[in-house]
């Protein structure tokens, strides 16, 4: 699109339209600087349009699921083709050597049946219609042929269906090539389900949003049958344990435990309904949502929408309890896990007030929270006195002398929340250890990595968590951009066409904003970690607004965030997916995630070995290697470096997931929303590449025909 075309009267064309993406019309008259177009609607409306806002079109009643084939290969043709396919529930489309998939928001059971799986198992890539199974099969065949490890990177916005697509790839591989050990297939599937329960949550973008990035390695032996797997994760959003935005919820497992566990378990853990817990009731609609039944329409079954309370599935908790059995978690450890979850909920209900008897502005636990204090101590198997002290006092060592400083109400709340989210993060890490033990293997010759990435997030006001997520998304997008360039180069080479300069979206400037060794966000934020919060807001503001990077945009007074928070706490970053507004509030504290010494000492006093062992690794890091302690930002960068290196050392395949509408409902194709995703995900570049190749091929064929005639 966005180029001058040679117009002909009465020729059918596409006209750019903000709401509909593109609409059909016919040229009725051509003027020197404009074109008069009659729209294809009942009103026979005519309008003046600029030549660079129209695209040529084929007969518009055609559609195809391989977008490398159309005569006119541009944005309008692609969008129209995708729309027609989507109307027929054909949610998979090839473009270049990659796959586009739409989240249908409904069940398409036949699309993933054993019969369908067998078809892709018996046919090479491109022989039968596009499918996520075809990408899995392509990766497997490439691995067998080239003896190289493969990576399947699943990208897209939050709510576009990345997690489901990754699960279907795993389903294809495990059902097709699991001849070695049939039990591994079930464990691979169950591993994902268990981590979803503990690591996914409802957000405004997605009812089952992964709050961590995941790499599932499927390992094969010399005969290319599955022998096991390994899961690594990155950027786990532990802050969700304590705080959720409006209309969002905590991790699924808390609701399963409170609503769906047996009366015996809930009584032993002293659990009530979710709306009685501070960590679960921050959404004002929570109680109402809990009492509603989900729609019975077949298009809205819980299995598909994955609400974070499967009230139509009364065996929800039993399912996850059984999965833990299947992967080898003992009954004792399961009870320890449930006890820790309950302890976190009780901990969140401990509140504080100023202590009038304190001479150092200290606080105390309010009388109505005493029961919550007792229950927390009981669930974590620690002394009530020890728990009270760790919440009300900061203890540090100075020249072999223990110094105790009373905490204010705000500081005590901060300590409470930090303890809760740290315990949960360590519990999640332990679950990954259990999972990897259950799918472990002695040796392998090759593997396929399925990478379920974290989607770009853009809320009205974004915080530290979002900027870390969006940095990771930028790194994945850069790999995708590089893949597009390589795809274009090979395409030109195969057709024997001279390679011109390839223009593509380069987001290196934005990545430099985070990674530069002198002016980068990670480096400068670490330097500010010792200043006060008031100072840090201003200094963080200065860091960003003094940065010469082109990805920085001065905030405008009319930004939504400007009316909510102080203007000096706002900065704007130009991401490949659009501009995002960030508030610097609490950036320093969230980045400097080192635990208080008293935390470690407190947890290590637990009479329960399971609880105590959760902090073994932190104990070693913090007490024996304080000099090398890494901030959160630095850890995020390190984790992403590992992910990118893993991808670059393999043959990469991309599955790009598209969110068809913001309402998350079936059968609605929101063209402006989809067009925006296609542009920001880099498909404008690949369209341009393929169109240029096709134009040169047509010119070459034309010259051959003329030579034959002469």
């Amino acid at each position: 699109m966005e180029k001058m075309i040679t117009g002909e009267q009465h020729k059918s064309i596409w006209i750019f339209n903000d709401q509909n993406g593109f609409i059909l019309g016919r040229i009725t008259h051509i003027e020197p600087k404009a074109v008069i177009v009659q729209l294809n609607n009942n009103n026979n409306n005519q309008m003046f349009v600029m030549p660079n806002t129209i695209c040529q079109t084929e007969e518009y009643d055609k559609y195809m699921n391989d977008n490398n084939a159309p005569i006119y290969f541009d944005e309008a043709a692609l969008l129209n083709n995708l729309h027609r396919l989507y109307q027929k529930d054909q949610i998979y489309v090839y473009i270049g050597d990659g796959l586009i998939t739409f989240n249908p928001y409904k069940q398409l059971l036949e699309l993933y049946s054993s019969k369908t799986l067998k078809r892709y198992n018996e046919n090479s890539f491109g022989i039968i219609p596009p499918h996520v199974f075809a990408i899995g099969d392509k990766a497997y065949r490439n691995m067998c042929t080239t003896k190289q490890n493969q990576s399947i990177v699943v990208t897209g916005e939050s709510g576009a269906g990345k997690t489901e697509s990754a699960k279907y790839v795993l389903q294809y591989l495990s059902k097709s090539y699991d001849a070695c050990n049939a039990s591994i297939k079930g464990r691979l599937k169950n591993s994902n389900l268990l981590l979803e329960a503990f690591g996914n949550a409802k957000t405004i973008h997605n009812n089952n949003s992964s709050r961590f990035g995941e790499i599932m390695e499927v390992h094969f032996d010399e005969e290319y049958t599955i022998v096991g797997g390994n899961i690594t994760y990155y950027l786990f959003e532990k802050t969700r344990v304590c705080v959720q935005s409006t209309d969002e919820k905590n991790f699924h497992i808390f609701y399963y435990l409170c609503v769906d566990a047996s009366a015996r378990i809930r009584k032993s853990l002293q659990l009530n309904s979710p709306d009685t817990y501070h960590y679960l009731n921050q959404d004002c609609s929570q109680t109402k949502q809990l009492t509603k039944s989900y729609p019975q329409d077949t298009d809205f079954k819980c299995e598909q929408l994955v609400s974070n309370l499967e009230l139509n599935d009364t065996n929800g908790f039993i399912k996850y309890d059984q999965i833990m059995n299947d992967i080898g978690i003992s009954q004792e450890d399961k009870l320890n896990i449930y006890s820790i979850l309950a302890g976190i909920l009780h901990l969140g209900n401990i509140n504080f007030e100023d202590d009038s008897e304190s001479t150092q502005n200290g606080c105390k636990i309010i009388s109505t929270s005493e029961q919550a204090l007792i229950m927390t101590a009981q669930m974590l198997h620690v002394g009530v006195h020890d728990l009270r002290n760790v919440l009300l006092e900061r203890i540090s060592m100075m020249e072999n002398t223990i110094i105790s400083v009373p905490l204010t109400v705000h500081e005590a709340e901060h300590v409470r929340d930090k303890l809760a989210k740290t315990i949960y993060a360590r519990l999640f890490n332990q679950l990954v250890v259990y999972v990897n033990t259950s799918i472990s293997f002695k040796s392998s010759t090759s593997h396929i990595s399925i990478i379920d990435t974290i989607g770009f997030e853009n809320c009205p006001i974004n915080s530290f968590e979002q900027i870390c997520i969006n940095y990771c998304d930028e790194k994945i997008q850069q790999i995708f951009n590089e893949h597009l360039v390589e795809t274009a180069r090979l395409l030109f080479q195969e057709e024997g066409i001279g390679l011109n300069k390839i223009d593509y979206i380069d987001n290196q400037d934005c990545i430099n904003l985070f990674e530069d060794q002198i002016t980068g966000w990670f480096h400068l934020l670490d330097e500010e970690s010792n200043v006060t919060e008031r100072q840090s807001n201003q200094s963080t503001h200065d860091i960003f607004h003094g940065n010469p990077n082109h990805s920085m945009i001065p905030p405008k007074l009319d930004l939504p965030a400007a009316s909510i928070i102080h203007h000096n706490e706002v900065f704007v970053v130009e991401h490949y997916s659009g501009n995002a507004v960030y508030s610097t509030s609490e950036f320093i504290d969230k980045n400097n995630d080192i635990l208080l010494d008293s935390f470690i000492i407190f947890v290590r006093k637990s009479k329960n070995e399971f609880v105590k062992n959760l902090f073994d690794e932190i104990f070693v890091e913090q007490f024996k290697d304080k000099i090398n302690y890494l901030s959160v930002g630095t850890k995020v960068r390190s984790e992403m470096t590992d992910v990118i290196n893993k991808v670059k050392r393999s043959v990469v395949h991309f599955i790009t997931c598209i969110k068809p509408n913001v309402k998350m409902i079936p059968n609605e194709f929101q063209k402006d929303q989809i067009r925006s995703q296609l542009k920001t995900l880099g498909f404008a570049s690949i369209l341009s590449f393929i169109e240029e190749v096709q134009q040169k091929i047509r010119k070459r064929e034309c010259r051959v025909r003329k030579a034959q005639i002469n």
Side-chain angles (χ1 to χ4, degrees):
M1 209 214 58
E2 298 177 356
K3 58 185 181 296
M4 183 77 71
I5 69 166
T6 303
E8 300 175 7
Q9 278 192 285
H10 309 299
K11 181 176 179 60
S12 179
I13 59 168
W14 291 106
I15 308 152
F16 172 68
N17 178 272
D18 278 328
Q19 273 121 23
N20 298 312
F22 295 90
I23 54 177
L24 281 167
R26 290 187 181 275
I27 297 174
T28 59
H29 186 69
I30 301 173
E31 296 191 354
K33 294 185 178 181
V35 178
I36 300 177
V37 175
Q38 180 176 312
L39 302 181
N40 287 19
N41 56 32
N42 295 331
N43 299 324
N44 293 320
N45 292 334
Q46 287 193 342
M47 60 186 298
F48 284 86
V49 296
M50 301 303 294
N52 66 343
T53 64
I54 60 180
C55 295
Q56 299 182 87
T57 181
E58 303 178 66
E59 290 298 323
Y60 52 83
D61 59 344
K62 294 181 180 179
Y63 66 93
M64 54 198 70
N65 53 29
D66 185 346
N67 275 292
N68 300 322
I71 294 174
Y72 299 121
F73 198 88
D74 53 34
E75 196 178 1
L78 175 63
L79 194 62
N80 179 60
N81 193 35
L82 294 176
H83 186 197
R84 291 185 169 277
L85 289 167
Y86 184 76
Q87 289 176 319
K88 296 177 179 293
D89 285 340
Q90 296 186 30
I91 62 171
Y92 295 117
V93 186
Y94 290 137
I95 179 168
D97 66 343
L99 182 76
I100 291 179
T101 171
F102 285 93
N103 189 337
Y105 296 116
K106 62 181 178 181
Q107 290 182 313
L108 300 172
L109 297 179
E110 188 58 33
L111 198 57
Y112 310 104
S113 66
S114 298
K115 181 180 178 181
T116 302
L117 186 147
K118 186 177 180 181
R119 286 184 66 204
Y120 287 90
N121 192 239
E122 295 174 347
N123 291 276
S124 299
F125 185 80
I127 301 298
I128 51 180
H131 200 289
V132 68
F133 289 167
I135 299 297
D137 190 72
K138 180 186 175 187
Y140 179 80
R141 290 172 188 259
N142 279 1
M143 178 186 67
C144 297
T145 303
T146 66
K147 316 300 181 186
Q148 290 180 280
N149 294 329
Q150 310 285 308
S151 290
I152 300 173
V153 182
V154 188
T155 66
E157 289 186 3
S158 181
K162 297 188 299 298
T163 298
E164 291 301 305
S165 293
K167 284 196 288 190
Y168 286 130
V169 173
L170 181 62
Q171 173 188 328
Y172 178 82
L173 294 174
S174 61
K175 286 188 175 181
S176 300
Y177 309 110
D178 190 29
C180 183
N181 188 343
S183 67
I184 290 293
K185 177 173 65 177
R187 291 183 180 182
L188 287 170
K189 176 183 176 182
N190 286 340
S191 298
N192 268 313
L193 291 175
L194 184 62
L195 295 186
E196 273 190 33
F198 282 81
N200 287 25
K202 178 188 182 299
T203 69
I204 58 174
H205 302 293
N206 185 359
N207 286 333
N208 186 41
S209 179
S210 298
R211 307 318 300 163
F212 63 101
E214 180 184 11
I215 304 174
M216 165 66 85
E217 292 180 2
V218 183
H219 285 258
F220 299 82
D221 61 15
E222 293 178 352
E223 296 179 354
Y224 298 106
T225 54
I226 295 175
V227 293
N230 184 73
I231 289 177
T232 56
Y233 70 97
Y234 61 97
L235 206 62
F236 181 68
E237 190 191 47
K238 61 184 179 181
T239 56
R240 180 166 294 271
V241 172
C242 306
V243 181
Q244 306 95 44
S245 301
T246 304
D247 297 326
E248 297 197 348
K249 291 184 170 68
N250 211 318
F251 293 105
H252 297 331
I253 191 63
F254 288 111
Y255 304 97
Y256 292 135
L257 186 62
C258 289
V259 174
D260 228 10
S262 67
R264 178 181 59 80
I265 290 177
R266 283 184 280 125
K267 182 178 180 181
S268 68
L269 301 176
Q270 294 293 297
L271 289 177
N272 297 308
S273 62
D275 57 311
T276 60
Y277 298 102
H278 172 63
Y279 287 159
L280 303 182
N281 66 10
Q282 295 174 44
D283 179 355
C284 61
S285 64
Q286 186 79 32
T287 304
K288 295 179 182 178
Q289 291 299 323
L290 290 174
T291 58
K292 286 184 178 180
S293 294
Y294 286 93
Q296 297 299 312
D297 186 276
T298 55
D299 288 342
F300 288 86
K301 289 189 177 180
C302 293
E303 287 289 327
Q304 181 66 26
L305 291 183
V306 197
S307 61
N308 83 334
L309 271 182
E310 294 177 333
L311 295 183
N312 286 346
D313 181 4
T314 55
N315 296 319
F317 179 81
I318 296 175
K319 176 173 68 176
Y320 293 105
D321 185 82
Q322 183 59 47
I323 285 175
M324 284 191 257
N325 287 338
D326 293 342
I327 68 171
I329 300 178
S330 68
Q331 183 66 21
E332 181 182 359
D333 282 353
K334 282 196 305 179
L335 294 177
N336 285 328
I337 290 169
Y338 302 149
S339 181
I340 289 172
L341 294 173
I344 290 171
L345 293 181
H346 291 302
L347 178 62
N349 279 5
I350 299 175
N351 295 308
F352 310 90
E353 63 183 0
D354 292 329
D355 185 357
S356 58
E357 298 180 2
S358 173
T359 59
Q360 296 178 279
N361 298 319
C363 68
K364 62 181 180 180
I365 295 172
I366 64 175
S367 58
T368 54
S369 293
E370 286 294 329
Q371 184 60 28
L373 179 75
I374 294 170
M375 289 310 306
T376 304
Q378 182 179 325
M379 295 299 122
L380 298 180
H381 301 275
V382 295
V384 174
H385 177 73
D386 291 334
L387 177 58
R388 188 188 304 274
N389 286 345
V390 82
L391 293 175
L392 298 180
E393 299 175 352
R394 179 184 294 112
I395 298 175
S396 58
M397 298 289 293
M398 184 173 291
E399 296 181 355
N400 296 322
T401 302
I402 297 177
I403 300 176
S404 175
V405 180
L407 301 178
T408 65
V409 170
H410 175 73
E411 289 171 336
E413 290 172 344
H414 177 73
V415 166
R416 175 200 65 196
D417 293 346
K418 195 164 190 176
L419 181 60
K421 64 187 182 183
T422 302
I423 291 174
Y424 191 79
R426 299 307 303 168
L427 178 61
F428 185 81
N429 186 75
Q430 181 58 42
L431 285 170
V432 175
V433 172
Y434 281 133
V435 163
N436 283 333
T437 300
S438 76
I439 56 177
S440 62
F441 51 93
K442 292 182 179 179
S443 64
S444 74
T445 58
S446 54
H447 67 264
I448 297 175
S449 296
I450 306 168
I451 303 174
D452 183 2
T453 63
I454 300 179
F456 180 83
E457 291 191 357
N458 196 356
C459 305
I461 302 174
N462 298 286
S463 188
F464 179 86
E465 292 79 20
Q466 280 72 44
I467 205 167
C468 288
I469 288 171
N470 294 343
Y471 158 73
C472 293
D473 201 49
E474 290 283 355
K475 294 287 287 184
I476 294 294
Q477 182 65 26
Q478 186 177 55
I479 292 289
F480 183 65
N481 293 343
E482 293 170 357
H483 177 73
L484 291 183
V485 172
E486 180 62 15
T487 298
R489 187 189 68 77
L490 293 174
L491 191 58
F492 275 70
Q493 183 177 307
E494 288 172 5
E495 296 296 339
I497 296 172
L499 182 63
N500 297 337
K501 179 183 177 182
I502 299 176
D503 294 321
Y504 68 100
I505 299 173
D506 184 0
N507 62 341
Q508 187 60 50
D509 256 6
C510 189
I511 291 173
N512 288 343
L513 180 65
F514 297 91
E515 293 186 345
D516 189 272
Q517 294 296 323
I518 299 175
T519 61
W521 174 68
F522 291 127
H523 172 72
L524 295 175
L525 203 55
D526 285 351
E527 288 188 345
E528 300 296 323
S529 62
N530 293 321
V531 300
T532 65
E533 182 63 32
R534 180 182 294 274
Q535 290 172 321
S536 72
N537 284 334
Q538 182 60 47
S539 59
T540 308
H541 172 270
D542 293 341
I543 286 172
F544 285 98
H545 289 282
N547 197 307
N549 193 294
H550 295 299
S551 293
M552 289 300 306
I553 302 173
K556 299 177 181 178
L557 291 176
D558 59 351
L559 286 172
S563 61
I564 304 172
I565 56 179
H566 195 277
H567 190 63
N568 282 350
E569 294 181 18
V570 176
F571 66 94
V572 184
V573 175
E574 185 179 10
H575 292 283
Y576 80 91
S577 285
N579 298 344
V581 182
Y582 297 95
S583 164
T584 61
S585 178
E586 297 185 351
F587 262 39
I588 300 297
D589 181 70
K590 290 179 178 180
N591 183 55
N592 185 19
D593 198 37
I594 193 167
L595 290 177
L596 297 174
D597 291 352
S598 53
F599 272 27
I600 308 295
I601 296 170
F602 162 70
V603 177
R604 297 284 297 176
K605 283 185 176 181
S606 174
K607 296 177 182 178
N608 184 285
E609 288 298 316
F610 185 92
V611 175
K612 188 186 299 185
N613 291 339
L614 290 181
F615 284 77
D616 272 351
E617 182 182 327
I618 293 181
F619 179 82
V620 173
E621 284 181 6
Q622 193 153 318
F623 282 87
K624 297 185 179 180
D625 200 14
K626 283 189 174 182
I627 295 175
N628 295 322
Y629 177 79
L630 300 178
S631 66
V632 173
T634 303
K635 285 181 180 177
V636 168
R637 180 179 178 181
S638 176
E639 289 173 343
M640 279 312 298
T641 298
D642 291 342
V643 172
I644 298 303
N645 288 340
K646 183 183 291 290
V647 172
K648 287 185 174 182
R649 288 194 299 266
S650 64
V651 178
V652 64
H653 312 265
F654 278 93
I655 297 173
T656 302
C657 301
I658 300 292
K659 193 173 182 177
N661 60 78
V662 295
K663 299 175 185 176
M664 297 186 288
I665 59 174
N667 306 321
E668 182 166 326
F669 192 89
Q670 193 175 342
K671 289 184 177 180
D672 58 333
Q673 163 82 3
I674 294 163
R675 179 174 180 263
S676 173
Q677 291 175 75
L678 291 172
K679 287 179 74 70
T680 56
L681 288 168
F683 284 100
S685 300
I686 196 170
L687 291 175
S688 176
F689 299 157
I690 298 174
E691 184 178 26
E692 185 173 351
V693 171
Q694 290 180 337
Q695 286 176 351
K696 291 192 175 184
I697 291 172
R698 288 196 292 271
K699 288 179 180 178
R700 184 174 61 190
E701 291 173 347
C702 185
R703 287 195 300 270
V704 171
R705 284 196 298 270
K706 285 182 179 179
Q708 290 172 343
I709 293 172
N710 294 334

